[in-house]
Amino acid sequence: MQRYTDFAAVRTLPPSTEKAVPSTIISLSSKGLEAAAQAESDAALRQISTSSRFRNAGINTLEKFGTGALDSTSQVALPGHLDNEFTLSITLGGGKAVSLTIANAGEDMFIQVGSAAELSPDERSAIANLGQAFQSAIDGLTQNVPQVRLAELTRLDTAFIQSIDLHAKTTLETVPPATQSLDFHIDSRQRRVSVEGPSGKIDVGVDTSRLQGLGTNQQQAKAIDNYLKTFDQAATRGHGDRQLMTMFKDAFVDMSLVARTDDSIDSGTRVIVPWKPSREDKAVLTGLPDFSTSVTQAARWSNPLRQDEVDGFKYEASQDTHLAGESFANRSITQSQRSSLSAQFHSEPDNSRKLKLNIAPGELMTVPRFHVQQEI
């Protein structure tokens, strides 16, 4: 594990234009000067944003690992409390496991590497090639408004890598501070991501073990666009949290895009029936792998007078495709799409009055409307 300290940029302040006022001169001892300097340094470090602190950390760490500059010969336990943590766990061919953690506790940064076996130069190179993908995920999660950026991590190099797991925990710069977590997994058969934070929880799972109905990039892009419009409509009807829905949509897009070319409709196909779907068969399907998704907004009690009225939003969507038959002439193709919406929210009693729920009991002049909406 390596430990190092980040540094804040120096800022020059313009000359003051205010009229000078009498001042008091205080003499400090050497220890007092040192304490003042340390306090100033600590204050500057605390002003460093999380995104700045982790800028290029993922790329640099994996580059050093690829060259052998980082190894697991000297391991030290991480502190009990970490403000932000990003752990990339990789399973290579033959079951070799490697994990890399980048974290911080206050102004201290930590890098920890773990490997259960000796790695070849090619294996180290394959891991180093994940640097940009790892950094992209880190950059998204350390924004002031967290984002899901996993598209590059879904491009699995199956020649050397069997699976990738990413666990991330970030402390949001809110008052009071809140924790956001992300867990991602990908292998040759599945992709899944779970995001949980103060605004709610997101789950997206994609089945890549059966890809007979897989379409081209163009077909998948059209299907994804249609789904995103459906998600937006559900959020509008149920008054869903905009930021949470944005993360949900980003996760769905990154997990669902599996086609690699625009012209090869058979790209990635795995045969589990003794016949091959025709181009016409695939044209009537979405072109996406099967998936199961859900987004659940954190419950809120916004009406101080009626604590039994709970604001909430939950949306689920899934797709299932089944191919059967012993021959092309006797084939069966079924694709089912399901979605459900459950939402509760408050709104104005009429269009002429603005909703106000932050007043004390006895002051309420109008009664807000409480809506319960359920759709299958």
Side-chain angles (χ1 to χ4, degrees):
M1 180 178 70
Q2 293 192 351
R3 172 175 172 171
Y4 59 94
T5 303
D6 206 349
F7 297 94
V10 177
R11 183 178 64 173
T12 302
L13 298 177
S16 174
T17 58
E18 296 182 1
K19 185 179 179 180
V21 296
S23 59
T24 301
I25 299 175
I26 301 176
S27 298
L28 295 177
S29 65
S30 58
K31 289 185 178 180
L33 290 171
E34 290 177 1
Q38 183 62 46
E40 184 178 354
S41 176
D42 291 344
L45 287 169
R46 284 194 296 270
Q47 293 175 1
I48 300 176
S49 67
T50 304
S51 60
S52 297
R53 193 181 298 277
F54 284 88
R55 183 174 296 133
N56 295 327
I59 292 178
N60 293 339
T61 299
L62 291 184
E63 282 183 352
K64 291 178 181 178
F65 182 83
T67 60
L70 287 178
D71 57 42
S72 57
T73 56
S74 58
Q75 289 299 306
V76 179
L78 292 170
H81 171 75
L82 295 171
D83 294 324
N84 301 281
E85 175 186 0
F86 303 92
T87 298
L88 191 66
S89 301
I90 304 161
T91 302
L92 300 167
K96 296 180 182 179
V98 178
S99 66
L100 303 101
T101 297
I102 306 174
N104 83 292
E107 67 270 22
D108 293 328
M109 297 287 290
F110 302 89
I111 297 176
Q112 188 179 63
V113 180
S115 177
E118 188 68 25
L119 303 180
S120 69
D122 287 340
E123 290 172 331
R124 283 185 173 272
S125 178
I127 293 174
N129 289 338
L130 295 173
Q132 182 57 56
F134 189 25
Q135 188 63 51
S136 180
I138 292 174
D139 289 344
L141 293 171
T142 55
Q143 298 296 308
N144 288 334
V145 178
Q147 301 174 8
V148 176
R149 298 180 185 173
L150 299 172
E152 294 184 63
L153 276 177
T154 64
R155 298 165 188 169
L156 194 64
D157 182 4
T158 55
F160 293 99
I161 298 175
Q162 291 184 0
S163 67
I164 298 174
D165 288 87
L166 171 64
H167 169 72
K169 185 195 74 172
T170 58
T171 299
L172 303 180
E173 297 175 357
T174 56
V175 180
T179 299
Q180 183 98 35
S181 66
L182 178 145
D183 287 282
F184 164 79
H185 172 84
I186 183 173
D187 57 37
S188 62
R189 302 182 62 84
Q190 62 178 322
R191 302 174 175 187
R192 62 176 184 267
V193 62
S194 176
V195 182
E196 189 166 5
S199 57
K201 184 177 182 181
I202 297 166
D203 287 294
V204 178
V206 175
D207 181 2
T208 55
S209 64
R210 299 176 301 165
L211 298 178
Q212 284 84 353
L214 181 67
T216 62
N217 279 347
Q218 183 178 6
Q219 185 182 10
Q220 289 189 8
K222 182 178 180 180
I224 288 175
D225 184 62
N226 290 334
Y227 270 115
L228 295 183
K229 291 177 180 177
T230 302
F231 299 162
D232 285 336
Q233 292 170 357
T236 299
R237 292 196 302 271
H239 290 216
D241 181 89
R242 181 176 298 180
Q243 179 183 338
L244 185 66
M245 287 302 296
T246 297
M247 296 181 70
F248 172 65
K249 293 189 294 182
D250 289 343
F252 176 77
V253 172
D254 289 352
M255 296 295 101
S256 298
L257 277 174
V258 296
R260 289 289 178 263
T261 62
D262 289 319
D263 55 354
S264 177
I265 201 165
D266 297 321
S267 174
T269 298
R270 299 182 185 126
V271 178
I272 59 172
V273 289
W275 51 272
K276 184 177 181 181
S278 66
R279 187 174 296 270
E280 290 74 20
D281 292 336
K282 295 181 179 181
V284 298
L285 303 175
T286 64
L288 297 176
D290 290 342
F291 62 86
S292 176
T293 68
S294 69
V295 52
T296 305
Q297 190 170 304
R300 293 187 297 111
W301 289 262
S302 57
N303 189 346
L305 297 184
R306 297 182 179 178
Q307 292 297 304
D308 59 323
E309 296 180 350
V310 183
D311 292 351
F313 176 91
K314 182 174 183 179
Y315 181 76
E316 298 176 313
S318 65
Q319 174 188 291
D320 293 295
T321 307
H322 296 281
L323 281 69
E326 298 180 355
S327 66
F328 183 80
N330 187 30
R331 69 190 185 279
S332 171
I333 303 176
T334 304
Q335 186 170 80
S336 303
Q337 297 168 291
R338 300 179 181 87
S339 64
S340 66
L341 169 64
S342 175
Q344 304 88 240
F345 55 90
H346 288 84
S347 70
E348 300 83 354
D350 55 62
N351 293 332
S352 63
R353 300 180 182 181
K354 187 176 181 180
L355 182 62
K356 184 178 181 182
L357 294 173
N358 59 343
I359 56 180
E363 298 179 4
L364 190 65
M365 302 301 294
T366 59
V367 179
R369 296 177 60 190
F370 182 63
H371 304 261
V372 179
Q373 182 170 355
Q374 291 185 320
E375 298 180 12
I376 302 296

PDB file of all heavy atoms in Angstrom, residues 244-256:
ATOM      1  N   LEU A 244     -31.890  10.964  -9.825  1.00  0.00           N
ATOM      2  CA  LEU A 244     -31.907   9.504  -9.705  1.00  0.00           C
ATOM      3  C   LEU A 244     -32.265   8.854 -11.032  1.00  0.00           C
ATOM      4  O   LEU A 244     -31.658   7.845 -11.426  1.00  0.00           O
ATOM      5  CB  LEU A 244     -32.898   9.087  -8.619  1.00  0.00           C
ATOM      6  CG  LEU A 244     -32.951   7.592  -8.272  1.00  0.00           C
ATOM      7  CD1 LEU A 244     -31.638   7.139  -7.650  1.00  0.00           C
ATOM      8  CD2 LEU A 244     -34.124   7.303  -7.327  1.00  0.00           C
ATOM      9  N   MET A 245     -33.231   9.407 -11.742  1.00  0.00           N
ATOM     10  CA  MET A 245     -33.635   8.839 -13.030  1.00  0.00           C
ATOM     11  C   MET A 245     -32.531   9.000 -14.073  1.00  0.00           C
ATOM     12  O   MET A 245     -32.359   8.127 -14.937  1.00  0.00           O
ATOM     13  CB  MET A 245     -34.921   9.510 -13.519  1.00  0.00           C
ATOM     14  CG  MET A 245     -36.162   9.099 -12.748  1.00  0.00           C
ATOM     15  SD  MET A 245     -36.476   7.311 -12.781  1.00  0.00           S
ATOM     16  CE  MET A 245     -36.788   7.039 -14.528  1.00  0.00           C
ATOM     17  N   THR A 246     -31.761  10.076 -13.996  1.00  0.00           N
ATOM     18  CA  THR A 246     -30.646  10.249 -14.928  1.00  0.00           C
ATOM     19  C   THR A 246     -29.599   9.162 -14.719  1.00  0.00           C
ATOM     20  O   THR A 246     -29.097   8.568 -15.685  1.00  0.00           O
ATOM     21  CB  THR A 246     -30.006  11.634 -14.748  1.00  0.00           C
ATOM     22  OG1 THR A 246     -30.972  12.642 -15.070  1.00  0.00           O
ATOM     23  CG2 THR A 246     -28.796  11.795 -15.656  1.00  0.00           C
ATOM     24  N   MET A 247     -29.269   8.872 -13.460  1.00  0.00           N
ATOM     25  CA  MET A 247     -28.324   7.798 -13.167  1.00  0.00           C
ATOM     26  C   MET A 247     -28.881   6.445 -13.620  1.00  0.00           C
ATOM     27  O   MET A 247     -28.146   5.605 -14.135  1.00  0.00           O
ATOM     28  CB  MET A 247     -28.011   7.773 -11.669  1.00  0.00           C
ATOM     29  CG  MET A 247     -27.299   9.009 -11.148  1.00  0.00           C
ATOM     30  SD  MET A 247     -26.938   8.923  -9.380  1.00  0.00           S
ATOM     31  CE  MET A 247     -25.655   7.669  -9.370  1.00  0.00           C
ATOM     32  N   PHE A 248     -30.174   6.246 -13.428  1.00  0.00           N
ATOM     33  CA  PHE A 248     -30.820   5.007 -13.853  1.00  0.00           C
ATOM     34  C   PHE A 248     -30.716   4.829 -15.367  1.00  0.00           C
ATOM     35  O   PHE A 248     -30.370   3.749 -15.864  1.00  0.00           O
ATOM     36  CB  PHE A 248     -32.291   5.017 -13.409  1.00  0.00           C
ATOM     37  CG  PHE A 248     -33.113   3.890 -13.950  1.00  0.00           C
ATOM     38  CD1 PHE A 248     -32.850   2.577 -13.595  1.00  0.00           C
ATOM     39  CD2 PHE A 248     -34.165   4.146 -14.822  1.00  0.00           C
ATOM     40  CE1 PHE A 248     -33.625   1.532 -14.087  1.00  0.00           C
ATOM     41  CE2 PHE A 248     -34.948   3.116 -15.324  1.00  0.00           C
ATOM     42  CZ  PHE A 248     -34.676   1.806 -14.955  1.00  0.00           C
ATOM     43  N   LYS A 249     -30.986   5.873 -16.100  1.00  0.00           N
ATOM     44  CA  LYS A 249     -30.925   5.792 -17.560  1.00  0.00           C
ATOM     45  C   LYS A 249     -29.494   5.559 -18.047  1.00  0.00           C
ATOM     46  O   LYS A 249     -29.261   4.775 -18.985  1.00  0.00           O
ATOM     47  CB  LYS A 249     -31.517   7.058 -18.183  1.00  0.00           C
ATOM     48  CG  LYS A 249     -33.015   7.208 -17.963  1.00  0.00           C
ATOM     49  CD  LYS A 249     -33.611   8.341 -18.779  1.00  0.00           C
ATOM     50  CE  LYS A 249     -33.108   9.686 -18.353  1.00  0.00           C
ATOM     51  NZ  LYS A 249     -33.734  10.791 -19.128  1.00  0.00           N
ATOM     52  N   ASP A 250     -28.530   6.247 -17.428  1.00  0.00           N
ATOM     53  CA  ASP A 250     -27.132   6.041 -17.815  1.00  0.00           C
ATOM     54  C   ASP A 250     -26.701   4.599 -17.561  1.00  0.00           C
ATOM     55  O   ASP A 250     -25.994   3.996 -18.380  1.00  0.00           O
ATOM     56  CB  ASP A 250     -26.226   6.996 -17.032  1.00  0.00           C
ATOM     57  CG  ASP A 250     -26.376   8.438 -17.480  1.00  0.00           C
ATOM     58  OD1 ASP A 250     -26.921   8.666 -18.572  1.00  0.00           O
ATOM     59  OD2 ASP A 250     -25.949   9.339 -16.737  1.00  0.00           O
ATOM     60  N   ALA A 251     -27.116   4.042 -16.424  1.00  0.00           N
ATOM     61  CA  ALA A 251     -26.770   2.658 -16.106  1.00  0.00           C
ATOM     62  C   ALA A 251     -27.406   1.701 -17.111  1.00  0.00           C
ATOM     63  O   ALA A 251     -26.765   0.741 -17.568  1.00  0.00           O
ATOM     64  CB  ALA A 251     -27.220   2.307 -14.688  1.00  0.00           C
ATOM     65  N   PHE A 252     -28.643   1.951 -17.479  1.00  0.00           N
ATOM     66  CA  PHE A 252     -29.335   1.091 -18.447  1.00  0.00           C
ATOM     67  C   PHE A 252     -28.639   1.120 -19.800  1.00  0.00           C
ATOM     68  O   PHE A 252     -28.435   0.072 -20.432  1.00  0.00           O
ATOM     69  CB  PHE A 252     -30.786   1.550 -18.587  1.00  0.00           C
ATOM     70  CG  PHE A 252     -31.562   0.791 -19.621  1.00  0.00           C
ATOM     71  CD1 PHE A 252     -32.041  -0.485 -19.351  1.00  0.00           C
ATOM     72  CD2 PHE A 252     -31.813   1.342 -20.867  1.00  0.00           C
ATOM     73  CE1 PHE A 252     -32.743  -1.200 -20.305  1.00  0.00           C
ATOM     74  CE2 PHE A 252     -32.520   0.640 -21.834  1.00  0.00           C
ATOM     75  CZ  PHE A 252     -32.993  -0.631 -21.556  1.00  0.00           C
ATOM     76  N   VAL A 253     -28.260   2.305 -20.256  1.00  0.00           N
ATOM     77  CA  VAL A 253     -27.582   2.426 -21.550  1.00  0.00           C
ATOM     78  C   VAL A 253     -26.249   1.685 -21.536  1.00  0.00           C
ATOM     79  O   VAL A 253     -25.937   0.897 -22.433  1.00  0.00           O
ATOM     80  CB  VAL A 253     -27.369   3.907 -21.924  1.00  0.00           C
ATOM     81  CG1 VAL A 253     -26.500   4.028 -23.175  1.00  0.00           C
ATOM     82  CG2 VAL A 253     -28.708   4.592 -22.146  1.00  0.00           C
ATOM     83  N   ASP A 254     -25.436   1.921 -20.507  1.00  0.00           N
ATOM     84  CA  ASP A 254     -24.108   1.306 -20.445  1.00  0.00           C
ATOM     85  C   ASP A 254     -24.189  -0.211 -20.359  1.00  0.00           C
ATOM     86  O   ASP A 254     -23.347  -0.921 -20.929  1.00  0.00           O
ATOM     87  CB  ASP A 254     -23.335   1.841 -19.240  1.00  0.00           C
ATOM     88  CG  ASP A 254     -22.903   3.284 -19.426  1.00  0.00           C
ATOM     89  OD1 ASP A 254     -23.070   3.820 -20.539  1.00  0.00           O
ATOM     90  OD2 ASP A 254     -22.407   3.886 -18.452  1.00  0.00           O
ATOM     91  N   MET A 255     -25.185  -0.737 -19.657  1.00  0.00           N
ATOM     92  CA  MET A 255     -25.306  -2.185 -19.509  1.00  0.00           C
ATOM     93  C   MET A 255     -25.898  -2.857 -20.746  1.00  0.00           C
ATOM     94  O   MET A 255     -25.597  -4.011 -21.035  1.00  0.00           O
ATOM     95  CB  MET A 255     -26.193  -2.531 -18.307  1.00  0.00           C
ATOM     96  CG  MET A 255     -25.665  -2.107 -16.950  1.00  0.00           C
ATOM     97  SD  MET A 255     -24.140  -2.946 -16.469  1.00  0.00           S
ATOM     98  CE  MET A 255     -22.964  -1.641 -16.847  1.00  0.00           C
ATOM     99  N   SER A 256     -26.729  -2.145 -21.506  1.00  0.00           N
ATOM    100  CA  SER A 256     -27.508  -2.766 -22.580  1.00  0.00           C
ATOM    101  C   SER A 256     -26.799  -2.795 -23.924  1.00  0.00           C
ATOM    102  O   SER A 256     -27.127  -3.631 -24.781  1.00  0.00           O
ATOM    103  CB  SER A 256     -28.859  -2.050 -22.730  1.00  0.00           C
ATOM    104  OG  SER A 256     -29.621  -2.158 -21.547  1.00  0.00           O
TER     105      SER A 256
END
